[in-house]
Amino acid sequence: MPKINLSRNHSLEPAVIKERISTLGAKLQEKYQAKTSWADDRTLNVKGTGVEGKLIISDNKVDVNLDLGFMLTPLKGKIEETLGKELEKLTASS
């Protein structure tokens, strides 16, 4: 399985970054029909056809760790690029 591992630093309050990650989770649900659920205050699980993983919030960083299935393998680069841009936006201080 191809993997996507991204990290972005942030300086946001925990409630703010969690809200922004929830928004990203909603986009994943919409675009990839992936189900998302909070395992705890800092871990958003993602599971869908062809994708499974976690978005993990720490005090100053967000990590995205996804495993892609066979069907999404050809789209790995595009998915990684799109997620990277989304992470840049949501970790921005403003």
Side-chain angles (χ1 to χ4, degrees):
M1 272 192 177
K3 297 183 182 303
I4 294 177
N5 297 303
L6 300 170
S7 291
R8 294 294 184 273
N9 293 328
H10 74 85
S11 58
L12 301 168
E13 294 294 320
V16 172
I17 192 68
K18 184 176 179 183
E19 180 181 322
R20 291 183 182 185
I21 293 292
S22 291
T23 301
L24 178 58
K27 287 181 181 181
L28 291 172
Q29 286 181 354
E30 182 180 313
K31 189 161 186 164
Y32 301 105
Q33 292 73 48
K35 304 260 189 242
T36 60
S37 62
W38 287 98
D40 55 42
D41 281 345
R42 294 179 173 253
T43 306
L44 181 69
N45 292 323
V46 178
K47 186 169 183 152
T49 304
V51 64
E52 185 172 346
K54 298 177 186 294
L55 285 78
I56 303 165
I57 303 168
S58 64
D59 291 337
N60 59 1
K61 185 171 71 164
V62 175
D63 292 312
V64 176
N65 302 305
L66 299 175
D67 293 327
L68 300 180
F70 178 74
M71 295 299 286
L72 291 179
T73 298
L75 301 174
K76 179 185 185 269
K78 182 68 175 165
I79 293 169
E80 196 165 29
E81 178 184 338
T82 302
L83 278 174
K85 288 177 183 177
E86 288 293 325
L87 277 177
E88 285 296 324
K89 285 189 236 176
L90 71 87
T91 56
S93 296
S94 54

